[in-house]
Structures are given as C-alpha cells and as structure tokens.
Amino acid sequence: MSGPMPDPLPDPLARERAHLTASRTALRAMRADVEALDIRDVTANWVNAAVLQSQIDDRIKALADLSHTPLFFGRLDYLHAVGAEQAEGAEGERFYIGRRHVHDADGDPMVIDWRAPVSQPFYRASKKDPLDVGLRRRFGYTGGELTAYEDEHLSDPAEAAQTSKLLQQEIERPRVGPMRDIVATIQPEQDEIVRSGLGGTVCVQGGPGTGKTAVGLHRVAYLLYAHRERLARTGTLVIGPNKSFLHYIEQVLPALGELEVKQATVDDLVAHVEVRGADEAQAAVVKGDARMAEVLRRAVRSHVTLPTEPLMVVRGSRRWRIPAHELEAIAQELLDRDIRYGAARDALPQRIAHAVLVRMEQAGEAPDDRVQDAVARGTAVKAAVKAIWPPVDPAKLVLRLLAEPEFLAAHADGILSEDEQKTILWTLPGSGKRAARSAKSAKWSLADAVLIDEAQDLVARTHSLGHVVLDEAQDLSPMQYRAVGRRCTTGSATILGDLAQGTTPWATRSWAEALTHLGKSEAVVEELTAGFRVPREVIAYASRLLPDIAPGLAEVSSVREAPGSLSVRHETDDLAAAAVAACVESLAHEGSIGLIAADARIPVLAKALEEAGLTYLDPGEETTPDTRLTLVPASLAKGLEYDYVVLDEPSAVVAGEPDERTGLRRLYVALTRAVSGLTVVHGTPLPEQLR
C-alpha cells in the first residue's frame, strides 16, 4: 500500500489493525477469485484440464490465510517514490512487508512479499545506510492479533540506534511445535546469503544458534520467488540428516507459500536396494572413501571386451564384412571418450551400422538413415554389441566387488591396500561371513547403497535438479557428497553445516575438501558467527570443547545474555530421578523441553518418566501445549532445538561414541540445543574440558 507520510491518525495501532483486517479481507477475495475460475471452455482436452486444475488447486493452497501467522510483520516508509523519477518535494511511499503478496480489488498492493526488491531495506537498512527509508516499523503479535509496534527513524540523526525489543522477543519466543520461519527476524549477514544468486553454490559454516538451517530454507524460498519458472522446470530439493529433522523443518516453506519443494535424506536418494545390514565403522570409512569411485569405474569398464573376430552383416543378397581391427577401433574410441557406460553401449550399434553404410556407399548403393537404423537393430549387430559391451547391473557389480576377493583385487590394485580390501569384503576365509548369492538377498548397508548409486551413475547419468539444499553436511562421507553432487551437476547448491558438530567417523575435515567431492569447488564459503538462539552462558560453556574438537574454528558470539540459563548439578544417588526432576522444573516454564541422553540410557530414562507420570514424545513428533517434553537420544539431537534442555550424564554421551573426539563433538551438539535454559545432570565426573 502506498500513501503519504507521516501517519495521519492519532491512534497508529488502531490504523494498523484496520489495515490488517482489510488485508485479510483482500486475501480471502483473492482466494475466492481463484476458486471461482471456470476452466471448462479454455482447455482443449482432459489432460490440459487436469494440469490447469492442479495449478489452480496449488494456487488456492498458497493463498490460505493462516490465522496464527501474521500476514505482515513490518512496514517501510520511504523518503521518496520508489522506482520512479524523484521529483523535488515528491512524497515517499509506504509498504507493508509480509510472507506473501496481497492486493486489493484494484490490483494495488496491500502487503508486499518479503522477497521483493522493495522489501530488502527492511533487513539491510541502518542508521549508517538508511537506503532511502525514513521509518522502519516492526509489529508485535499475540496469537495472530496485532498488539504492538516499534519504530526506527533511520533518517533522524538525533535518534540513537537501539536494539529492537520486538525483534528480541520474536527471537526468544518459546518454541512449541515444528520449526518456525525467521522471515521477521532475518539479520543483514543472513539476508546477504538468502538473496545470493541462483548461479552460484554457497557453503555456510555456522555454529549453534546462528540460524544456518533457516537461512538455507529461506534461500530456497527466495530463489523460487526470483527464478520460479526455471526452478519449476528443474526442481528443488532439501536434504536433511534424518526423518526426525525433516519433520521438524517441514512447515517452514509452506508457511512462506512454497508447497512444491521436496525433502529427503541422503539415504532416500540412494534407495536402489533394501538396506537390511550395517557396517562396522572401519568398513564404512573405506566404503565412503572417494577412492571407491575409481574402483567402481574400473570395475564397470572391465566389462568391455575388445573384439578379435570380424563381423558379418547380411543385408538382402549382400554380405558386408567389418574386420576385427575396425570394430576394436570403434570400441576403443568410445572407451577413450570416457562417456557413461550405458551411453557408449547405446552408441556402439549405430557406429557399427555406420561402418556398414560406408561400405554400401562405396559399392554404389544409396542407403539412408532408415537403413542404418535397420542394420543397428539387426541380429548380427546386436550379438556383437552384447559380446563387446554387455549390459551392467549396478547392484550385481557392487555385489561382485564385495563378495569376490579376486574381482576386488583386480580393480582396487594400487588404490586400496590389502588390509582395506579385507575390511570391506563380505567373504573372508575363516571369518564366518558369507556372501549373498544374489543382489536381492544381500544384506546391504547404507554405505553399500551409496556405492550402487555411484555405479548407477557410471552406467546412466543421474537427473540433475536446479537447486539442492544440503543441511548438516559435515557428517557426509566423500562418496555421499558425490551422490548429492550428482543431483545438482547442472544446478547450484546451498551447503549448511558446522565442522565442530561432525560426529561420524568420516566427518569432513574442511569445507574445501567437501566441496571438491561435491563437484562444487568454486563455491563461496560464508561463516556465520553471531548467535541468536543459544544464550551466551550456554554457548560459552559448550565452547570449552572447541579447542579439542575443532581447533581454529571461531567461537559463536551470542547476542543473548540470559543470567541463570545454565545449571550444572552433581547427583550422587538416583541420576534418572534427578533428570526427571529437572524436567519437571523446566515444565513450569513456557515452551518445549528436550531430555537428551546417551542412546544407551534412553530406556532407563523412559521408564523413569513413565513412573513419574510424565508423557513424552519421540524426536520429530510435534509438541502440543499439553505434551511439551521430548526424550531425545543424543544421536538424533543434531539440528533440533528446545526452549529448555536437560542433559543427562555427559560422560555417557562421550563414551557412547567410538573415540573421544567424536564423543566430545556429540556432547557439543547436545549442549547447544537449548534456546532458553540448559540443565546438566551428572553422576560421574564431567569430561575434563567442562570441569
């Protein structure tokens, strides 16, 4: 909405409430207009009608008015007209900034989408650089009702810059339910990443509470706004570490009006086979090593057999002979081009048929493309192709590598040591391990599935998407990075993670290394060091671990000071009862509570909670006002946040991992899940770094 400044009414809050009511009415009218569309006379057939109706249904969903979600959260009063020549004395314009665009019956905007260029100063304007904004107004809401506002006069040098209380309240608002968007609280350094272009890949290193996950999701929403047609054709995908995490974040994009973005785990991407087995850590590390890509490449190419016999093609009453050396040259040329195995196999019969056509032309005939296609489909050529370039089943190929020592040794020679080969073999003399007889009966592990995905791509190109967001990226193996990279070879990516939170044996050591495996070595690495969610006392306590788990990594500097937010208690009697008591104390406050513990202690704590009559949720399940407590195994805590966290027995969290460094990283994750308060309960001595 545009209009004169300053506010003409004596009661600005009443005026803003009236604008909110009018905007909601306009949004309902926009939805009613779409619902009333009659497409019976504008579609040529039922296919077009179905497609158009699906698009209309999506538009209706996108125009839903969420009663507890503010339609707008800010207002910008520009000093001059926007997008026009600024005549002397011309009045500025006023824009309400919200989650979606809303216009009135005349088409005039009442709410501007936060992603529009005119909205950018809401996040970037400052006293030093007001960006032609005279006033920035923030709104406060309670249950969807507008209850407060707060003004910043950016062009007034006499008014000192102050921290926004409404902004601080929104950041600290208790968390009940799934993850919320941060569209009203995006900070300038976050906004720069959110609005970075589609053409480049961005890697965001961010410590706990810096908002890296939200930044990644809001970047998707921005890119869909700025490049909707392109991404509608190519697709977008958000990749998270596990199903619990994906469930936690699944409402963010729909709240911003984006309904079509798919979500998956890396395991979902490579689900070519049923995973029923598990690897020991040492085997998983070797299978996840980038060197396995070359082993697989060699194994795939080994199926090619250069011909030693000529080929005879019968065409009508004539016979055409292709000598062995010419067939060998054709096959060798395809090998030297190093194109995908399946593409080369598809090209081979046409190459052979072309050689036949050359002879036919030399003999005075005039064959055309139809003759070449017929020769390529002929029995003799098909038999030759099968002998030279037989089909390869990716799962069967990986099965041979893992089950046949001689086959693995032949293709891993000079790449994997003998000990590494023995580590990943399923069949070892005297080991008791037995290889599966078929790919269907094999007990595949997650690492095996990634190898099969690599082999699949060597045979046939993986479809590339327009943009991929990869969260908690620090935990991926090099082969998993390659699997993700295949999904965005012609697109871009947003990589999110924290090197200090890497808790897998193969966790990446540097982003440069990870981006190389991803195929995006040119990506820009941005670091977020300002923390907005975790209190300063809590992050400082957890950061005592950084010198041991991530030397040289910058400590998060939290903007939130919350005295009393950290409590460390030593319990000499019943530790589980003490943890339950701490949960009861936390339940006296508003917001969500997470009881985090070593995986091995979850059954003990579950029993203690039940005996105390406390109902609890599993990670990923949506909290409600009546059930706000979640029992969280430490292995699933990454990426989740709770208003109050009770951490049970830190030493058990460390001991639950294969080595101390990984255990300390797991502990760092658990310590930094709290938004308002952290209570640490321990019976055994704390790790040395925390004492």
Side-chain angles (χ1 to χ4, degrees):
M1 177 180 178
S2 61
M5 299 178 358
D7 213 325
L9 295 184
D11 185 358
L13 188 59
R15 183 187 185 283
E16 303 297 14
R17 285 173 174 166
H19 185 73
L20 176 61
T21 300
S23 299
R24 290 200 182 280
T25 301
L27 180 60
R28 287 194 294 272
M30 290 170 62
R31 182 183 172 105
D33 288 344
V34 179
E35 291 173 332
L37 288 174
D38 186 349
I39 63 173
R40 288 175 295 183
D41 297 328
V42 296
T43 53
N45 52 54
W46 70 269
V47 175
N48 290 342
V51 172
L52 184 55
Q53 188 59 53
S54 176
Q55 294 173 342
I56 290 173
D57 292 342
D58 289 342
R59 178 61 175 162
I60 291 171
K61 291 178 184 176
L63 290 172
D65 186 4
L66 307 177
S67 60
H68 293 287
T69 301
L71 199 55
F72 56 80
F73 47 80
R75 194 184 97 185
L76 291 177
D77 289 4
Y78 278 86
L79 295 173
H80 304 91
V82 176
E85 294 186 8
Q86 298 176 1
E88 185 176 353
E91 294 179 328
E93 294 179 274
R94 174 179 302 151
F95 297 96
Y96 288 84
I97 313 302
R99 287 169 171 78
R100 67 195 68 206
H101 175 87
V102 179
H103 59 256
D104 62 18
D106 296 325
D108 294 327
M110 301 190 71
V111 180
I112 300 294
D113 195 301
W114 67 276
R115 297 166 289 188
V118 75
S119 302
Q120 184 172 324
F122 184 78
Y123 304 106
R124 302 278 188 93
S126 65
K127 282 280 188 179
K128 291 182 179 179
D129 187 9
L131 300 176
D132 199 43
V133 173
L135 179 141
R136 172 168 53 201
R137 175 169 288 179
R138 299 181 188 275
F139 297 107
Y141 288 84
T142 301
E145 181 182 349
L146 200 163
T147 55
Y149 71 92
E150 184 180 72
D151 288 345
E152 292 176 86
H153 296 276
L154 299 177
S155 61
D156 185 356
E159 183 179 296
Q162 296 180 343
T163 302
S164 167
K165 293 181 180 178
L166 288 180
L167 180 66
Q168 193 74 13
Q169 289 172 7
E170 175 63 22
I171 291 174
E172 297 177 0
R173 185 156 55 97
R175 311 180 68 84
V176 176
M179 180 180 176
R180 300 189 302 263
D181 63 70
I182 63 165
V183 68
T185 61
I186 295 174
Q187 300 299 295
E189 63 270 26
Q190 296 173 328
D191 191 61
E192 289 183 15
I193 298 172
V194 167
R195 295 177 192 265
S196 54
L198 177 61
T201 290
V202 178
C203 176
V204 182
Q205 158 63 41
T210 55
K212 58 184 178 295
T213 295
V215 165
L217 294 174
H218 286 69
R219 186 178 183 218
V220 170
Y222 173 76
L223 292 176
L224 286 168
Y225 175 87
H227 308 277
R228 188 167 301 281
E229 288 188 9
R230 177 176 171 183
L231 290 177
R233 294 192 307 270
T234 56
T236 53
L237 176 68
V238 174
I239 303 173
N242 52 58
K243 296 292 186 184
S244 297
F245 177 82
L246 292 178
H247 184 69
Y248 175 61
I249 68 169
E250 67 183 358
Q251 295 303 319
V252 174
L253 288 169
L256 298 174
E258 301 301 340
L259 307 172
E260 299 302 318
V261 180
K262 291 181 169 52
Q263 297 182 343
T265 65
V266 175
D267 300 341
D268 294 331
L269 300 184
V270 300
H272 306 293
V273 293
E274 182 182 358
V275 173
R276 297 185 294 129
D279 286 312
E280 294 182 358
Q282 190 176 1
V285 169
V286 177
K287 289 179 181 180
D289 195 295
R291 293 174 296 163
M292 287 299 300
E294 178 60 23
V295 175
L296 288 163
R297 178 180 170 276
R298 288 183 182 181
V300 169
R301 290 166 62 90
S302 73
H303 288 76
V304 178
T305 303
L306 296 178
T308 57
E309 298 293 332
L311 171 65
M312 193 69 69
V313 176
V314 178
R315 180 75 180 168
S317 61
R318 302 289 300 273
R319 291 189 172 192
W320 308 98
R321 183 178 182 274
I322 309 297
H325 70 84
E326 190 170 343
L327 291 173
E328 180 181 355
I330 292 173
Q332 189 62 55
E333 191 268 336
L334 288 172
L335 279 172
D336 292 343
R337 285 182 61 192
D338 202 23
I339 60 178
R340 281 173 172 76
Y341 187 91
R345 189 173 190 274
D346 292 339
L348 182 57
Q350 289 291 335
R351 298 292 180 88
I352 295 174
H354 178 73
V356 173
L357 259 66
V358 169
R359 283 162 173 74
M360 295 173 71
E361 291 170 347
Q362 291 171 345
E365 296 189 21
D368 56 18
D369 290 345
R370 290 175 296 177
V371 175
Q372 179 170 326
D373 289 339
V375 172
R377 293 194 302 268
T379 304
V381 174
K382 281 185 176 180
V385 170
K386 186 174 181 180
I388 298 169
W389 216 287
V392 171
D393 182 292
K396 291 179 179 178
L397 175 79
V398 174
L399 179 65
R400 285 193 68 191
L401 283 172
L402 299 178
E404 299 178 19
E406 297 80 8
F407 189 69
L408 176 62
H411 304 300
D413 182 44
I415 300 177
L416 300 180
S417 68
E418 289 187 11
D419 286 341
E420 287 174 323
Q421 293 177 39
K422 290 178 180 177
T423 298
I424 65 174
L425 276 168
W426 287 354
T427 306
L428 294 174
S431 70
K433 293 183 180 179
R434 297 184 62 187
R437 294 184 179 181
S438 70
K440 185 173 290 187
S441 64
K443 289 189 176 181
W444 299 108
S445 68
L446 294 173
D448 297 335
V450 177
L451 296 179
I452 294 171
D453 190 70
E454 179 84 26
Q456 182 82 45
D457 187 70
L458 289 166
V459 174
R461 182 183 298 275
T462 304
H463 173 67
S464 175
L465 298 165
H467 193 76
V468 169
V469 174
L470 174 63
D471 205 353
E472 301 297 347
Q474 71 281 344
D475 278 330
L476 269 60
S477 70
M479 292 298 286
Q480 287 176 317
Y481 278 121
R482 291 176 62 88
V484 173
R486 285 191 283 279
R487 272 73 186 179
C488 54
T489 49
T490 59
S492 57
T494 302
I495 312 302
L496 312 165
D498 180 10
L499 296 178
Q501 296 186 57
T503 52
T504 56
W506 48 83
T508 191
R509 291 169 292 186
S510 73
W511 289 122
E513 178 184 321
L515 291 167
T516 298
H517 296 313
L518 196 72
K520 302 291 184 184
S521 56
E522 78 290 349
V524 175
V525 179
E526 303 281 0
E527 187 169 7
L528 296 176
T529 57
F532 302 97
R533 297 294 295 168
V534 184
R536 186 177 303 171
E537 295 76 9
V538 173
I539 196 66
Y541 184 67
S543 295
R544 298 181 189 180
L545 302 174
L546 283 179
D548 289 273
I549 62 175
L553 200 64
E555 180 179 334
V556 172
S557 176
S558 178
V559 300
R560 293 184 55 215
E561 197 167 348
S565 57
L566 174 66
S567 174
V568 181
R569 305 174 184 178
H570 181 220
E571 177 60 45
T572 57
D573 295 325
D574 190 338
L575 186 63
V580 170
C583 290
V584 172
E585 291 178 25
S586 299
L587 285 167
H589 302 285
E590 186 181 359
S592 58
I593 295 90
L595 172 54
I596 304 177
D599 291 28
R601 283 190 52 79
I602 292 298
V604 175
L605 292 170
K607 183 179 179 181
L609 289 172
E610 290 168 0
E611 290 176 348
L614 293 179
T615 56
Y616 62 89
L617 303 167
D618 293 327
E621 292 184 333
E622 189 171 332
T623 58
T624 67
D626 296 326
T627 308
R628 298 182 287 124
L629 173 62
T630 303
L631 179 57
V632 188
S635 61
L636 296 180
K638 193 170 298 179
L640 305 180
E641 284 185 345
Y642 301 94
D643 287 292
Y644 295 89
V645 166
V646 176
L647 177 59
D648 169 88
E649 196 64 287
S651 61
V653 174
V654 177
E657 301 298 327
D659 60 81
E660 184 183 25
R661 188 180 188 189
T662 304
L664 290 174
R665 285 184 167 187
R666 183 75 72 189
L667 178 58
Y668 180 75
V669 171
L671 288 168
T672 54
R673 300 306 93 200
V675 172
S676 296
L678 169 67
T679 301
V680 178
V681 181
H682 67 102
T684 58
L686 292 169
E688 183 180 349
Q689 296 84 347
L690 298 181
R691 293 176 196 167

